[in-house]
Short mmCIF file of all heavy atoms in Angstrom, two decimals:
data_model
loop_
_atom_site.label_atom_id
_atom_site.label_comp_id
_atom_site.label_asym_id
_atom_site.label_seq_id
_atom_site.Cartn_x
_atom_site.Cartn_y
_atom_site.Cartn_z
N CYS A 8 0.17 3.73 -2.72
CA CYS A 8 -1.10 4.46 -2.62
C CYS A 8 -0.88 5.85 -2.01
O CYS A 8 -1.52 6.80 -2.41
CB CYS A 8 -2.10 3.70 -1.76
SG CYS A 8 -2.71 2.20 -2.53
N ALA A 9 0.03 5.92 -1.05
CA ALA A 9 0.27 7.20 -0.38
C ALA A 9 0.80 8.25 -1.35
O ALA A 9 0.59 9.44 -1.17
CB ALA A 9 1.26 7.01 0.77
N PHE A 26 -8.14 -1.06 7.66
CA PHE A 26 -6.78 -1.51 7.92
C PHE A 26 -5.81 -0.97 6.88
O PHE A 26 -4.74 -0.48 7.22
CB PHE A 26 -6.72 -3.04 7.95
CG PHE A 26 -5.33 -3.58 8.10
CD1 PHE A 26 -4.70 -3.54 9.34
CD2 PHE A 26 -4.64 -4.09 7.02
CE1 PHE A 26 -3.41 -4.02 9.48
CE2 PHE A 26 -3.36 -4.58 7.16
CZ PHE A 26 -2.74 -4.53 8.40
N VAL A 27 -6.16 -1.05 5.63
CA VAL A 27 -5.29 -0.56 4.56
C VAL A 27 -5.07 0.94 4.70
O VAL A 27 -3.95 1.43 4.58
CB VAL A 27 -5.86 -0.92 3.17
CG1 VAL A 27 -5.06 -0.25 2.07
CG2 VAL A 27 -5.88 -2.42 2.99
N LEU A 28 -6.15 1.67 4.98
CA LEU A 28 -6.02 3.11 5.14
C LEU A 28 -5.11 3.44 6.32
O LEU A 28 -4.26 4.32 6.22
CB LEU A 28 -7.40 3.74 5.34
CG LEU A 28 -7.42 5.26 5.51
CD1 LEU A 28 -6.79 5.93 4.29
CD2 LEU A 28 -8.84 5.75 5.70
N GLN A 30 -2.72 1.64 7.44
CA GLN A 30 -1.36 1.29 7.05
C GLN A 30 -0.73 2.44 6.26
O GLN A 30 0.44 2.74 6.43
CB GLN A 30 -1.33 0.01 6.22
CG GLN A 30 -1.69 -1.23 6.99
CD GLN A 30 -0.64 -1.61 8.00
OE1 GLN A 30 0.18 -0.82 8.42
NE2 GLN A 30 -0.67 -2.85 8.42
N LEU A 32 -1.54 5.62 6.47
CA LEU A 32 -1.31 6.76 7.37
C LEU A 32 -0.15 6.52 8.31
O LEU A 32 0.53 7.45 8.72
CB LEU A 32 -2.58 7.07 8.17
CG LEU A 32 -3.75 7.59 7.36
CD1 LEU A 32 -4.96 7.79 8.26
CD2 LEU A 32 -3.39 8.88 6.65
N ARG A 41 0.00 15.84 9.63
CA ARG A 41 0.26 17.22 10.03
C ARG A 41 -1.00 18.05 9.81
O ARG A 41 -1.82 17.72 8.97
CB ARG A 41 1.39 17.82 9.19
CG ARG A 41 2.71 17.07 9.22
CD ARG A 41 3.33 17.06 10.61
NE ARG A 41 4.75 16.86 10.65
CZ ARG A 41 5.38 15.74 10.42
NH1 ARG A 41 4.73 14.68 10.05
NH2 ARG A 41 6.69 15.66 10.55
N PRO A 47 -5.31 10.92 14.97
CA PRO A 47 -6.15 10.13 15.89
C PRO A 47 -5.55 10.16 17.29
O PRO A 47 -4.33 10.16 17.46
CB PRO A 47 -6.09 8.72 15.30
CG PRO A 47 -5.65 8.89 13.89
CD PRO A 47 -4.80 10.12 13.87
N LEU A 51 -1.14 10.04 19.60
CA LEU A 51 -0.53 11.23 20.19
C LEU A 51 0.87 10.98 20.73
O LEU A 51 1.60 11.93 20.99
CB LEU A 51 -1.43 11.82 21.29
CG LEU A 51 -2.63 12.60 20.79
CD1 LEU A 51 -3.56 12.96 21.95
CD2 LEU A 51 -2.20 13.86 20.05
N ARG A 71 -12.51 24.34 34.55
CA ARG A 71 -11.86 25.63 34.78
C ARG A 71 -11.66 25.79 36.29
O ARG A 71 -12.43 26.49 36.96
CB ARG A 71 -12.70 26.77 34.22
CG ARG A 71 -11.98 28.09 34.25
CD ARG A 71 -12.79 29.16 33.56
NE ARG A 71 -12.00 30.36 33.46
CZ ARG A 71 -12.34 31.42 32.80
NH1 ARG A 71 -13.49 31.44 32.15
NH2 ARG A 71 -11.57 32.47 32.75
N GLY A 77 -7.11 30.95 35.19
CA GLY A 77 -7.71 31.17 33.87
C GLY A 77 -7.45 30.09 32.85
O GLY A 77 -7.93 30.18 31.73
N ILE A 79 -8.03 26.57 31.06
CA ILE A 79 -9.16 25.65 30.90
C ILE A 79 -8.61 24.33 30.39
O ILE A 79 -7.74 24.29 29.51
CB ILE A 79 -10.20 26.22 29.92
CG1 ILE A 79 -10.82 27.46 30.54
CG2 ILE A 79 -11.27 25.18 29.58
CD1 ILE A 79 -11.84 28.12 29.68
N PHE A 80 -9.15 23.24 30.92
CA PHE A 80 -8.76 21.90 30.51
C PHE A 80 -9.96 21.26 29.83
O PHE A 80 -11.06 21.25 30.36
CB PHE A 80 -8.33 21.07 31.72
CG PHE A 80 -7.18 21.67 32.47
CD1 PHE A 80 -7.39 22.43 33.61
CD2 PHE A 80 -5.87 21.48 32.03
CE1 PHE A 80 -6.33 23.00 34.30
CE2 PHE A 80 -4.81 22.05 32.71
CZ PHE A 80 -5.04 22.80 33.85
N THR A 87 -10.80 6.52 18.70
CA THR A 87 -9.62 5.78 19.14
C THR A 87 -9.25 6.03 20.60
O THR A 87 -8.41 5.33 21.13
CB THR A 87 -8.41 6.12 18.27
OG1 THR A 87 -8.06 7.49 18.47
CG2 THR A 87 -8.69 5.85 16.80
N VAL A 94 -5.96 24.91 27.43
CA VAL A 94 -6.27 26.17 26.77
C VAL A 94 -5.85 27.30 27.72
O VAL A 94 -6.48 27.50 28.77
CB VAL A 94 -7.78 26.29 26.43
CG1 VAL A 94 -8.05 27.59 25.68
CG2 VAL A 94 -8.25 25.10 25.63
N ALA A 105 -16.05 29.03 20.85
CA ALA A 105 -15.82 27.63 20.52
C ALA A 105 -15.53 26.80 21.77
O ALA A 105 -16.08 25.71 21.94
CB ALA A 105 -14.67 27.49 19.53
N ARG A 110 -19.59 21.46 20.72
CA ARG A 110 -19.82 20.05 21.05
C ARG A 110 -18.78 19.17 20.39
O ARG A 110 -18.39 18.13 20.90
CB ARG A 110 -21.21 19.60 20.61
CG ARG A 110 -22.33 20.37 21.30
CD ARG A 110 -23.69 19.97 20.73
NE ARG A 110 -23.79 20.43 19.34
CZ ARG A 110 -24.50 19.82 18.38
NH1 ARG A 110 -25.17 18.74 18.65
NH2 ARG A 110 -24.53 20.29 17.16
N ARG A 113 -12.15 21.01 16.87
CA ARG A 113 -10.86 20.69 16.25
C ARG A 113 -9.85 21.64 16.87
O ARG A 113 -10.03 22.87 16.85
CB ARG A 113 -10.93 20.91 14.76
CG ARG A 113 -9.62 20.59 14.10
CD ARG A 113 -9.73 20.81 12.64
NE ARG A 113 -8.46 21.37 12.25
CZ ARG A 113 -8.11 21.56 11.02
NH1 ARG A 113 -8.94 21.29 10.06
NH2 ARG A 113 -6.94 22.04 10.74
N LEU A 142 -24.61 13.77 10.16
CA LEU A 142 -24.86 12.38 10.49
C LEU A 142 -26.35 12.04 10.43
O LEU A 142 -26.73 10.88 10.29
CB LEU A 142 -24.32 12.06 11.88
CG LEU A 142 -22.81 12.22 12.04
CD1 LEU A 142 -22.41 12.01 13.49
CD2 LEU A 142 -22.08 11.25 11.13
N ASP A 144 -28.38 13.27 8.15
CA ASP A 144 -28.80 13.33 6.75
C ASP A 144 -28.63 11.95 6.11
O ASP A 144 -27.51 11.45 5.98
CB ASP A 144 -27.94 14.37 6.01
CG ASP A 144 -28.34 14.54 4.56
OD1 ASP A 144 -29.30 13.87 4.10
OD2 ASP A 144 -27.70 15.36 3.88
N PRO A 149 -19.84 10.00 3.69
CA PRO A 149 -18.54 10.54 4.10
C PRO A 149 -17.43 10.29 3.10
O PRO A 149 -16.41 10.96 3.10
CB PRO A 149 -18.25 9.85 5.43
CG PRO A 149 -19.16 8.69 5.49
CD PRO A 149 -20.31 8.97 4.57
#
Side-chain angles (χ1 to χ4, degrees):
C8 290
F26 176 76
V27 172
L28 181 58
Q30 292 291 20
L32 293 177
R41 303 296 204 287
L51 283 172
R71 189 174 187 172
I79 294 180
F80 301 97
T87 66
V94 183
R110 298 175 293 150
R113 180 180 142 172
L142 297 175
D144 183 1

